[in-house]
Amino acid sequence: MLTKKIILELENKLTEQKTAIKKELESFAVEDKNLKHNWTAQFPNKEKGDPEEEADDATEYENLLSLEHSLELKLKDVDIALEKIHKVKTGKYGVCEKCSKKIEEKRLMACPEAKFCIKCNI
Ligand SMILES: [Zn+2]
């Protein structure tokens, strides 16, 4: 049973995560103002010239794109969890989206944005 104290703790964790993810994204990507959860990684802005260096930049950019994508997904999960926890009385927070059972408290503590219980998260 999730007590008020635990809910508050989880909410704090989620808010902290959101801030941290956003900060990381902002360090190399720009958020689309019109489209929520859509970020665009910026191409490394260096002087052109050395072809070898340009190839490095391209690889670096690809890495950034995949990092951006995974951060974007995580941010989305955190946002959804935050929305649910704000409306905790509707009983949607902490419930497995697959089997509709309650997600283990230990699991939520480690991963407050969890959408599935341990059994379904395989
Ligand atoms: Zn489940």
Side-chain angles (χ1 to χ4, degrees):
M1 164 77 189
L2 295 174
T3 61
K4 265 189 183 169
K5 197 175 159 243
I6 293 170
I7 299 269
L8 204 69
E9 203 178 323
L10 290 169
E11 195 182 336
N12 285 338
K13 276 180 198 243
L14 284 166
T15 311
E16 269 171 36
Q17 271 191 18
K18 186 176 172 170
T19 313
I21 298 169
K22 271 198 138 177
K23 214 172 153 192
E24 203 176 342
L25 272 169
E26 276 163 3
S27 70
F28 66 89
V30 178
E31 187 177 15
D32 191 326
K33 298 278 172 237
N34 303 312
L35 215 63
K36 215 182 166 196
H37 300 129
N38 189 42
W39 294 70
T40 311
Q42 299 291 94
F43 196 80
N45 199 9
K46 290 178 196 152
E47 279 190 32
K48 284 190 175 182
D50 191 352
E52 216 168 282
E53 207 168 281
E54 274 177 34
D56 280 353
D57 285 352
T59 319
E60 197 185 319
Y61 186 60
E62 267 173 42
N63 292 339
L64 281 182
L65 280 182
S66 69
L67 178 67
E68 181 232 305
H69 187 65
S70 63
L71 284 172
E72 215 179 88
L73 288 179
K74 181 110 197 249
L75 185 62
K76 211 171 169 181
D77 282 350
V78 169
D79 259 346
I80 291 170
L82 265 173
E83 244 169 68
K84 283 185 189 169
I85 214 166
H86 286 155
K87 291 183 242 165
V88 75
K89 282 187 187 130
T90 58
K92 281 188 181 140
Y93 181 75
V95 174
C96 175
E97 286 183 10
K98 210 161 168 185
C99 68
S100 303
K101 282 183 187 151
K102 286 198 171 124
I103 300 174
E104 300 79 359
E105 195 182 307
K106 245 202 275 178
R107 174 161 165 74
L108 287 174
M109 277 299 186
C111 181
E113 77 278 22
K115 286 192 271 189
F116 305 112
C117 68
I118 290 172
K119 274 186 193 161
C120 297
N121 194 50
I122 304 170

